[in-house]
């Protein structure tokens, strides 16, 4: 049994699905000092507490304890219960997990901060050819984001990269045009987002549209 209170002094606790042990988790050596890696099994002993907490959620108010226990057998749901209860801060799922199901469960269990108006997806990719990571957002939940959404997504992705990998990355605003080479309302929107992003977040490097 693992006492989660021992991680309270860390900068962050990341729970990762798709691994049987912490030693199998990817990019472990890339994490900044003070970031702890967890797997869902670390908190299985807390399932009775999670069941009690979930029983108060609107979406499962009429569920039995057996139904809730079955629900938590899914690693993603257990991980989200860990976050909702304060035992973890961030979830990174395996590429094989269904993003739509993850998003639905995340909205139900954790919810969305009042300061945010939407959610988006991102994928952390490892480029084996030169041993580096890139994060791609959004390729699923917001297929055609507005300018303000693009800025928010870029900022949150940049912060995510810095938190996870411990380095400041360059944010590329991807389009089918480069610096106005193909005028179109979609590329104009992307270029406008770059300008706003650079003004609002001068500490982060950005380029686009590309």
């Amino acid at each position: 049994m693992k006492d989660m209170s021992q991680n309270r002094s860390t900068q962050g606790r990341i729970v990762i699905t798709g691994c049987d042990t912490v030693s199998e988790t990817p990019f472990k050596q890339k994490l900044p000092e003070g970031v702890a890696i967890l797997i869902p099994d670390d908190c299985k002993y807390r399932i009775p507490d999670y069941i009690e907490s979930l029983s108060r959620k609107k979406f499962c108010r009429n569920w039995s304890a057996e139904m809730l226990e079955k629900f938590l057998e899914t690693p993603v749901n257990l991980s989200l219960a860990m976050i909702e209860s304060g035992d973890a801060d961030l979830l990174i799922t395996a590429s094989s997990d269904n993003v739509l199901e993850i998003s639905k469960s995340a909205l139900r269990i954790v919810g969305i901060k009042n300061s945010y108006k939407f959610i988006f997806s991102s994928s952390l990719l490892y480029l084996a050819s030169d041993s580096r990571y890139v994060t791609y957002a959004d390729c699923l939940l917001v297929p055609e984001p507005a300018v303000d959404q693009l800025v928010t997504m870029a900022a949150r992705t940049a912060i995510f990269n810095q938190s996870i990998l411990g380095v400041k990355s360059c944010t590329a605003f991807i389009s089918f045009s480069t610096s106005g080479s193909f005028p179109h309302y979609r590329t104009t929107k992307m270029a406008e987002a770059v300008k706003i992003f650079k003004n609002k977040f001068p500490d982060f490097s950005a380029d686009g549209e590309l």
Side-chain angles (χ1 to χ4, degrees):
M1 184 180 296
K2 186 171 183 178
D3 180 5
M4 300 306 294
S5 64
Q6 67 183 343
N7 289 323
R8 292 297 180 183
S9 62
T10 62
Q11 297 174 3
R13 296 155 298 166
I14 303 170
V15 56
I16 300 178
T17 64
C19 302
D20 294 327
T21 65
V22 170
S23 62
E24 294 179 7
T25 56
F27 60 83
K28 181 174 173 54
Q29 303 305 319
K30 290 284 188 177
L31 293 174
E33 185 178 354
V35 175
I37 295 181
L38 309 171
I39 59 174
D41 281 356
D42 288 335
C43 277
K44 274 193 171 180
Y45 75 97
R46 291 265 285 144
I47 284 179
D49 300 315
Y50 299 154
I51 288 176
E52 182 180 353
S53 177
L54 286 174
S55 67
R56 296 191 291 269
K57 298 285 185 181
K58 185 177 181 180
F59 80 95
C60 56
R61 191 167 293 166
N62 297 320
W63 291 16
S64 65
E66 291 75 17
M67 292 170 66
L68 288 168
E69 188 172 0
K70 183 70 174 178
F71 180 72
L72 291 174
E73 288 179 2
T74 301
V76 167
N77 294 337
L78 178 56
S79 300
L80 290 167
M82 291 168 62
I83 293 174
E84 196 272 340
S85 297
D87 293 330
D89 304 302
L90 176 70
L91 165 63
I92 297 180
T93 66
S95 60
S96 58
D97 290 326
N98 187 302
V99 176
L100 294 177
E101 289 300 318
I102 295 168
S103 302
K104 183 169 68 174
S105 290
L107 285 171
R108 286 173 160 182
I109 298 172
V110 180
I112 185 171
K113 288 184 177 181
N114 292 332
S115 56
Y116 291 93
K117 299 179 181 179
F118 70 102
I119 63 172
F120 68 95
S121 71
S122 61
S123 298
L124 181 62
L125 309 175
Y126 176 66
L127 306 181
S129 59
D130 51 5
S131 301
R132 65 187 176 94
Y133 293 87
V134 297
T135 305
Y136 182 63
D138 174 297
C139 54
L140 180 65
L141 297 181
V142 189
E144 192 164 349
V147 172
D148 61 326
Q149 290 178 313
L150 284 167
V151 173
T152 298
M153 288 158 53
R156 295 308 306 174
T157 300
I159 293 169
F160 170 83
N161 274 354
Q162 184 171 331
S163 300
I164 298 299
L165 304 177
V167 295
K168 285 188 177 180
S169 56
C170 180
T171 301
F173 286 75
I174 304 300
S175 179
F176 51 84
S177 167
T178 298
S179 300
S181 63
F182 192 89
H184 189 277
Y185 79 90
R186 286 195 175 104
T187 65
T188 301
K189 177 177 63 175
M190 195 68 73
E192 182 181 351
V194 177
K195 292 179 181 178
I196 296 173
F197 178 87
K198 288 181 176 180
N199 183 57
K200 291 185 67 175
F201 304 98
D203 291 339
F204 287 107
S205 177
D207 198 2
E209 82 283 6
L210 300 173

